[in-house]
Every structure is written in structure tokens, then in C-alpha cells.
Amino acid sequence: DSGVTQTPKHLITATGQRVTLRCSPRSGDLSVYWYQQSLDQGLQFLIQYYNGEERAKGNILERFSAQQFPDLHSELNLSSLELGDSALYFCASSPPQGRVGYTFGSGTRLTVV
Amino acid sequence: AQSVTQLDSQVPVFEEAPVELRCNYSSSVSVYLFWYVQYPNQGLQLLLKYLSGSTLVKGINGFEAEFNKSQTSFHLRKPSVHISDTAEYFCAVSSNFGNEKLTFGTGTRLTIIP
């Protein structure tokens, strides 16, 4: 157990639908990062939150959004799903600035049919 | 901006032979460097990291890596591989603040041949 919890582990949904992926960071970590891993794109950074605020954006589609709540857990919302959104979605967390470390969750495998 | 290049997409190696997985990075600032391993159908596990100090870093499972600033490289090595080392290996870089995103290479698939 890495300390970063992602739910659900697997998700199968139809095109056009909306899903929410959840991430609870390791205790004490303030940053949450979301990554998408697909066969053709590799590990792509989507978005980072730090203590509730959006810190950085990567290759995140407009159909995707995220937020980090006061208890520091984060949710990634994927809407109007397409077949190409099928991928493994990872969440990682890191401690406050000045300390270095990234811990990954075990991921959510999303299959869009 | 930072980037990572993993020069080999696939590396086949005989069991008990040595292996080196190559990683080069580019960054305009000082960096922190990482190697992660992903076993089939699993998440990312940290193998080792370079933050500062000694350029030779030892990690888990007998792996080590050497940071070479002049060549902007961080190659991963193991003197004798085992079947259980079959996995995908990712090199990653972060900025000197350490609280910014990890930028990953495209990965190297290590296949151990019995």
C-alpha cells in the first residue's frame, strides 16, 4: 500500500457518459497530480493541485476537469467520453514544497465501450 | 521546460546478464531524477531517485543509477537480472523545487530471456 488511494480500480462505461475518479493523497502531502497512461501516448501529465488550488495544467482536454477538496482528496471528472479516453489514470501526491517525493496510486483503469 | 528521452523502447536480456537502460534529460534548471518500474497490470513503483550528493544512487531490487550532469544522463543498471525484472521502466525528471510535476520518458520494456 503506497498510501495513495484511488477508486474505483476499474470502470467500464459507454461513450458519451461522465465518470468521476477519486484520489486520496498520502497523509501530509499537499500536492495531487493526475496522469493518463495510454498505449499510444505514454504517461501524460493532466493537472496538478496544491492545497486546493490548481497549480499546473498539462495535456488535459476541455471535457476533463478536476478539483481538490479541503480534505485534500481530489476528483477527476471525465465527460462526453470517447473510445479514445480508455486508459489507465494515475494519481500521485507529493509533500509540501521543500521536500521531494512522489507517491503513485495503483490507478483506475477506464474502459469506454 | 523539461524533457526525458529513453533511448531504447525495448531491451531483451538473458537471465543473469547485466543490463543498462538509458535515460537522457534536458532542463534549464537543476533537476531531480527518478526511475519508476511498472510490472504488468500494476501501478508505478519508485526504484530510486537522485536529489543531490553522490552521483551513484542505489535503489531497490539491486538496481542503481548514475547521474552524469555533463552528459545529462541518468542511466539505470543492474549487474545480473532475474526473470522477475520483466517490466516497463520509466525515467522521470522534476524541477529543483521538487513540488512540480514529473515529466516521464516513453518507457523501456525490459524482457528477460530464460
Side-chain angles (χ1 to χ4, degrees):
Chain A
D1 181 11
S2 68
V4 176
T5 304
Q6 287 190 250
T7 57
K9 291 193 183 306
H10 303 275
L11 199 49
I12 301 175
T13 190
T15 55
Q17 294 298 305
R18 172 189 168 95
V19 297
T20 297
L21 312 183
R22 182 188 169 103
C23 170
S24 293
R26 198 179 55 166
S27 178
D29 287 358
L30 298 183
S31 270
V32 168
Y33 311 80
W34 286 98
Y35 287 86
Q36 179 193 59
Q37 185 181 33
S38 59
L39 285 175
D40 54 342
Q41 297 287 328
L43 270 161
Q44 296 287 315
F45 167 69
L46 295 178
I47 196 163
Q48 176 198 0
Y49 278 83
Y50 180 85
N51 202 21
E53 300 289 325
E54 183 183 301
R55 170 69 69 90
K57 248 182 180 177
N59 301 321
I60 189 166
L61 299 172
E62 285 191 12
R63 299 183 285 109
F64 296 0
S65 64
Q67 54 185 326
Q68 186 179 27
F69 294 86
D71 68 351
L72 300 179
H73 91 270
S74 178
E75 292 181 356
L76 179 67
N77 300 296
L78 315 176
S79 61
S80 303
L81 285 167
E82 302 174 358
L83 295 178
D85 297 327
S86 296
L88 198 49
Y89 291 84
F90 284 110
C91 161
S93 71
S94 68
Q97 193 156 326
R99 295 170 49 205
V100 183
Y102 300 86
T103 306
F104 281 80
S106 56
T108 293
R109 183 169 294 281
L110 173 67
T111 303
V112 182
V113 298
Chain B
Q2 299 151 333
S3 66
V4 177
T5 302
Q6 290 185 245
L7 297 159
D8 306 297
S9 60
Q10 297 187 60
V11 173
V13 181
F14 285 102
E15 194 173 13
E16 297 183 7
V19 68
E20 178 180 82
L21 304 184
R22 298 180 293 168
C23 171
N24 285 90
Y25 69 92
S26 94
S27 175
S28 56
V29 296
S30 298
V31 295
Y32 300 131
L33 294 156
F34 304 80
W35 275 99
Y36 283 86
V37 60
Q38 185 177 30
Y39 298 104
N41 299 312
Q42 293 190 28
L44 293 164
Q45 180 181 3
L46 180 66
L47 271 180
L48 47 80
K49 61 188 177 189
Y50 171 78
L51 304 182
S52 64
S54 172
T55 57
L56 185 61
V57 181
K58 293 193 182 299
I60 62 171
N61 302 340
F63 283 94
E64 62 181 34
E66 186 156 19
F67 171 59
N68 188 318
K69 189 174 182 179
S70 63
Q71 296 189 3
T72 60
S73 67
F74 190 55
H75 300 333
L76 180 71
R77 302 185 186 102
K78 187 170 182 177
S80 175
V81 296
H82 189 265
I83 288 285
S84 60
D85 293 322
T86 296
E88 188 98 18
Y89 292 79
F90 293 93
C91 182
V93 62
S94 176
S95 74
N96 61 356
F97 291 111
N99 205 253
E100 298 186 2
K101 66 181 174 74
L102 278 171
T103 298
F104 285 90
T106 50
T108 297
R109 183 171 298 278
L110 177 62
T111 301
I112 309 302
I113 305 165

